[in-house]
Amino acid sequence: MPDNESDLLMQVARTLRRRWSAAYAPMGLTPHQARALRVAGEHEGLRLSAIADALRISPRSATEVVDALEKGELVNREPDPTDRRATLVAVTARGRRTLDTLTEARTKDADEFFGRLTDQERAALRDILGKLTP
């Protein structure tokens, strides 16, 4: 067992990432793609740079992730009506259905993973993690 909070938290994060990978695999998504789809789904058209910022990845990496989502017909690129040099990433109808499935899978997995905790422990964990999140 890790001997400090940082290592323990990272171990939990890696465990969750492996679980999410397994949950997203039937949808043909990687964790990065699922996160990008979720970010794009929270907005009505988003510039690629905003997706990169939200995911804390380089614009080039965001381009690759969005390319894969576009290939899967989950998002498309549209001209930005306020700046003809820019494009926006928008979620397609298929992407919305995939987002719904993805959300259900995440909720089910979180309930299973955190189900070992009491409601009180879960609330305390949310409070603690909220204090640590910038």
Side-chain angles (χ1 to χ4, degrees), residues 114-123:
F114 293 107
R116 298 175 249 179
L117 304 176
T118 66
D119 289 345
Q120 186 177 13
E121 289 170 329
R122 287 176 81 160

Side-chain angles (χ1 to χ4, degrees), residues 16 18 27 39 51-53 71 87-88 91-92 107 118 121 123 127:
L16 285 171
R18 280 192 302 274
M27 293 173 247
V39 167
I51 292 174
D53 289 345
K71 184 177 179 182
T87 59
L88 301 176
V91 177
T92 63
T107 300
T118 66
E121 289 170 329
D127 288 343

